[in-house]
Amino acid sequence: ITTSKGVSSLADVGSHALHTVRYITGLEVKELVSDVNTFVGGIREPDDGNVLLRFEGGACGTLVASQSSTGEENDLRIRVFGDKGMVEWHQEQPNELKIALRDQPVQLLTRGKPYLSAIAKANTRLPPAHPEGVIEAFANIYHHVANTLRAQLNGVNPHPFDLDFPVASDACYWAHFESKVLESNQKRHWVNAEYHLPIIPKL
């Protein structure tokens, strides 16, 4: 992404936040309004983006992506609030998941424990107390892709857990979202951000 695209920081760090929210919630963005600015400038320009989101089903959200926030590192953080409670995850503390259910004590779930779901345990590579992070996350993706390809070559259906990896349509979704952020920032109002995969005619 070049500076001429007008959404440098959103493309660099905001894309990870958007895909993580879609992965966690299963929701797609319906509308958005954005405010994109440059505060420091330089090679990452613009360097600050704020986007209000309206999801399908009525949920609302805020995406903040900045490369001008002095003192912050690669602090990807996700918080999801619902009628039953909330979940919170920070990339800088990737082995912990905070859960707060209404009228109950706050819980801190940690990686590799028997109370986790089957798919969470299947993606755990090290025993508890040994920290995992971004390297293991990429290793899991490569592992799933390899298992899926192996299953297809053998003429069998892949295990559902092995289908848990990003595909080309996810990249297309981000490109669409990015264009809508730029459109909203230029027009200074809400824009429709619904995305539909293009229909490719058979030859």
Side-chain angles (χ1 to χ4, degrees):
I1 300 298
T2 65
T3 56
S4 62
K5 291 288 287 185
V7 285
S8 177
S9 291
L10 277 169
D12 193 0
V13 296
S15 57
H16 305 301
L18 178 69
H19 288 313
T20 304
V21 168
R22 293 176 62 220
Y23 181 83
I24 292 174
T25 66
L27 299 177
E28 305 290 3
V29 177
K30 186 176 181 180
E31 292 180 296
L32 64 82
V33 62
S34 67
D35 185 29
V36 180
N37 299 282
T38 297
F39 293 117
V40 177
I43 61 173
R44 295 186 176 99
E45 186 177 326
D47 52 29
D48 185 84
N50 301 272
V51 188
L52 294 180
L53 307 170
R54 289 175 181 165
F55 294 90
E56 56 187 13
C60 298
T62 304
L63 190 156
V64 178
S66 177
Q67 292 176 309
S68 60
S69 300
T70 303
E72 294 288 347
E73 296 183 359
N74 191 23
D75 190 18
L76 172 62
R77 64 181 76 177
I78 306 294
R79 295 190 297 171
V80 180
F81 297 87
D83 58 347
K84 297 181 180 179
M86 65 85 72
V87 295
E88 181 175 354
W89 179 80
H90 290 239
Q91 183 178 338
E92 292 184 1
Q93 292 86 37
N95 295 282
E96 300 175 349
L97 177 68
K98 178 181 177 181
I99 297 181
L101 301 178
R102 191 175 299 278
D103 301 322
Q104 295 187 30
V106 174
Q107 302 178 59
L108 190 65
L109 306 186
T110 55
R111 183 196 51 76
K113 297 300 177 65
Y115 51 70
L116 298 177
S117 66
I119 190 169
K121 288 186 283 189
N123 284 286
T124 297
R125 291 175 166 264
L126 298 175
H130 297 282
E132 289 188 357
V134 66
I135 301 301
E136 290 81 5
F138 279 107
N140 283 335
I141 291 176
Y142 303 147
H143 177 74
H144 295 328
V145 171
N147 284 347
T148 298
L149 293 175
R150 185 179 298 111
Q152 292 177 340
L153 290 172
N154 292 330
V156 298
N157 292 326
H159 191 282
F161 290 176
D162 285 328
L163 296 175
D164 187 24
F165 56 84
V167 295
S169 60
D170 294 308
C172 294
Y173 186 95
W174 170 255
H176 170 80
F177 179 86
E178 180 184 51
S179 69
K180 291 300 178 178
V181 167
L182 185 57
E183 178 185 342
S184 173
N185 190 63
Q186 291 173 339
K187 294 182 177 179
R188 312 306 294 172
H189 61 63
W190 288 88
V191 297
N192 187 317
E194 291 180 290
Y195 176 70
H196 304 283
L197 280 173
I199 298 176
I200 301 176
K202 295 183 178 180
L203 298 177

